[in-house]
Amino acid sequence: MQVLWFIPTHGDGRYLGTATGGRSVNFDYWRQIAQAVDQLGFTGALLPTGRSCEDAWILASTLVTYTKKMRFLVAIRPGLMSPGVAARMAATFDRISGGRLLINVVTGGDPVELAGDGLHLSHDDRYQLTDEFLTVWREIAGGKISNFEGDYLNIKEGKILFPNIQKPHPPLWFGGSSPIAQVIAAKHVDVYLTWGEPPQQVAEKIASVRRLAQAQGRTLSFGIRLHVIVRETESQAWDAANDLIRYVDDEAIKKSQQAYARMDSVGQNRMKELHNGSREALEISPNLWAGIGLVRGGAGTALVGDPDTVSKRMQEYADIGIDTFIFSGYPHLEEAYRVAELLFPRLPLDNLPTIEPQLLSPFGEIVANREFPQQLQE
Ligand code: FMN
């Protein structure tokens, strides 16, 4: 099992849908989060992409120099980038980071935003373009020369001269729930991602993508993107969840739901259907809470509970085939620590951090100027 975190390049705060508790998000803050991710034993972090985000490639390139181990999940955008340019950016980042790049393939689900960036194709045509893009990108990034003539791309002797560290190229991760997205994922990518739907729905999607991949003689692994609200007790966790939306008013929910309704993303629509804009019945499956999706697009659900319960719910996802969790929590710096402290000791993580020998921590603070604090018996 591996757990990644999230760099909030579109803002951060203590409460959703309000400036109350909002914080100034800038490079120093992202650097603190990245260094926490790096030290705490997360595999890496997702940097989102889109017009409400700072540019993920530029931010990742600066953060990489302040970190040692963490991997950066950064988007390539079919239709907005040339596959050759995207392959070159990936190779440069892969080399300067020592092989720490993960690629998120984002086709996009908001026609209004995409039109603003000059892309005017329908949902399924964007995925046809993605198919062509990934065919070319994989050739070029894999060190081959690409000659390709399709409906959208016409490439003559596309290549990179400086190779990737990771072979044949940095792994391709991908989130897209529509039928055509699943076909493209099965054909090209390494890790299929879903937003945090209830286990039964996730199991159905995994079965479908697996079937499609098998037909191509391929195997994929699977990841899920969720928020997590973990506290020492169940009641503290649920109080924290309710606190997160305490200042959200109905107008903010209405406005958000209207904006997401214009999207043609099947994944976004599946997220919306989990709550339909209503504050009632937000626990949509045991310990899975849809409150965040009332005002946030994309990842809209959180696992809520005490550490044993949350790790048990994660294990339920693991049992149906999920081996990667991309988590976040508000505010992202403090919650990274909380997740690592409360949850990591209970998880079968691939890469638990080794405690550096010169450090005694974690130990808390010296008591009475002479003693180490006592460990509580569980
Ligand atoms: N879309 C974005 O515009 N920016 C992102 O950063 C982004 N990250 C995603 C992360 C995950 C884990 C998932 C599951 C999806 C993400 N998406 C993002 C959306 C998808 O890439 C895709 O464009 C969208 O879901 C539309 O495809 P669909 O109709 O097949 O669901």
Side-chain angles (χ1 to χ4, degrees), residues 223-294:
I224 192 163
R225 168 85 181 96
L226 282 155
H227 303 270
V228 63
I229 302 172
V230 62
R231 296 291 184 273
E232 287 176 35
T233 66
E234 284 286 292
S235 67
Q236 285 171 352
W238 284 108
D239 285 350
N242 291 322
D243 239 23
L244 203 54
I245 54 169
R246 67 192 281 188
Y247 297 115
V248 170
D249 61 29
D250 292 344
E251 193 50 34
I253 296 175
K254 203 169 123 202
K255 238 165 101 189
S256 302
Q257 296 307 312
Q258 275 167 356
Y260 302 131
R262 74 167 188 234
M263 298 187 181
D264 59 15
S265 159
V266 171
Q268 178 63 52
N269 202 40
R270 288 169 69 106
M271 277 282 109
K272 190 205 85 184
E273 279 172 3
L274 298 176
H275 53 72
N276 276 318
S278 160
R279 288 171 190 268
E280 307 303 316
L282 286 171
E283 188 178 1
I284 51 167
S285 125
N287 303 95
L288 185 65
W289 181 70
I292 294 171
L294 292 174

Side-chain angles (χ1 to χ4, degrees), residues 1 35 77 101 114 149 234 237 376:
M1 183 184 283
Q35 290 181 325
R77 308 291 312 264
L101 177 64
L114 291 167
E149 202 169 331
E234 284 286 292
L376 284 180

Side-chain angles (χ1 to χ4, degrees), residues 6-328:
F6 183 81
I7 308 284
T9 62
H10 43 53
D12 199 8
R14 257 170 216 290
Y15 305 104
L16 292 175
T18 173
T20 307
R23 64 179 49 169
S24 161
V25 166
N26 54 32
F27 180 71
D28 288 337
Y29 181 60
W30 293 315
R31 184 174 57 187
Q32 288 185 67
I33 297 175
Q35 290 181 325
V37 167
D38 206 39
Q39 283 182 29
L40 292 169
F42 290 91
T43 299
L46 167 66
L47 289 84
T49 185
R51 77 174 172 199
S52 55
C53 310
E54 297 279 358
D55 184 79
W57 284 95
I58 290 176
L59 189 60
S61 308
T62 46
L63 291 175
V64 78
T65 59
Y66 293 96
T67 57
K68 296 177 189 154
K69 296 168 287 192
M70 71 170 283
R71 306 184 77 184
F72 291 83
L73 178 52
V74 187
I76 55 176
R77 308 291 312 264
L80 299 182
M81 299 164 101
S82 122
V85 172
R88 220 162 284 131
M89 289 165 71
T92 299
F93 189 91
D94 201 45
R95 279 197 317 282
I96 62 170
S97 68
R100 290 196 273 144
L101 177 64
L102 304 168
I103 304 258
N104 189 20
V105 180
V106 171
T107 297
D110 181 353
V112 175
E113 178 178 329
L114 291 167
D117 285 340
L119 185 60
H120 305 279
L121 298 176
S122 70
H123 178 277
D124 286 9
D125 287 348
R126 293 199 300 271
Y127 273 110
Q128 299 293 359
L129 185 155
T130 298
D131 186 17
E132 294 188 6
F133 178 99
L134 290 176
T135 302
V136 173
W137 187 92
R138 287 172 68 202
E139 282 177 355
I140 296 179
K144 300 196 179 105
I145 294 178
S146 180
N147 283 292
F148 183 89
E149 202 169 331
D151 292 334
Y152 303 98
L153 297 177
N154 184 354
I155 307 293
K156 305 225 181 310
E157 298 199 12
K159 62 183 168 191
I160 51 173
L161 297 177
F162 301 107
N164 288 288
I165 287 185
Q166 299 179 88
K167 299 294 179 203
H169 50 66
L172 291 172
W173 298 27
F174 175 106
S177 293
S178 53
I180 189 166
Q182 295 185 20
V183 171
I184 308 299
K187 186 170 167 190
H188 292 290
V189 310
D190 304 295
V191 180
Y192 178 84
L193 300 170
T194 174
W195 282 315
E197 298 173 8
Q200 182 56 35
Q201 283 175 241
V202 173
E204 284 161 17
K205 248 199 267 187
I206 289 178
S208 162
V209 174
R210 264 205 188 121
R211 253 193 323 271
L212 291 163
Q214 263 160 16
Q216 309 250 8
R218 301 186 74 245
T219 49
L220 272 64
S221 60
F222 294 90
I224 192 163
R225 168 85 181 96
L226 282 155
H227 303 270
V228 63
I229 302 172
V230 62
R231 296 291 184 273
E232 287 176 35
T233 66
E234 284 286 292
S235 67
Q236 285 171 352
W238 284 108
D239 285 350
N242 291 322
D243 239 23
L244 203 54
I245 54 169
R246 67 192 281 188
Y247 297 115
V248 170
D249 61 29
D250 292 344
E251 193 50 34
I253 296 175
K254 203 169 123 202
K255 238 165 101 189
S256 302
Q257 296 307 312
Q258 275 167 356
Y260 302 131
R262 74 167 188 234
M263 298 187 181
D264 59 15
S265 159
V266 171
Q268 178 63 52
N269 202 40
R270 288 169 69 106
M271 277 282 109
K272 190 205 85 184
E273 279 172 3
L274 298 176
H275 53 72
N276 276 318
S278 160
R279 288 171 190 268
E280 307 303 316
L282 286 171
E283 188 178 1
I284 51 167
S285 125
N287 303 95
L288 185 65
W289 181 70
I292 294 171
L294 292 174
V295 284
R296 188 197 195 278
T301 53
L303 286 178
V304 181
D306 64 35
D308 282 336
T309 308
V310 171
S311 58
K312 202 172 102 208
R313 298 296 172 214
M314 289 174 70
Q315 191 55 50
E316 287 167 5
Y317 282 113
D319 291 342
I320 57 172
I322 297 284
D323 57 25
T324 296
F325 294 81
I326 307 175
F327 278 153
S328 53

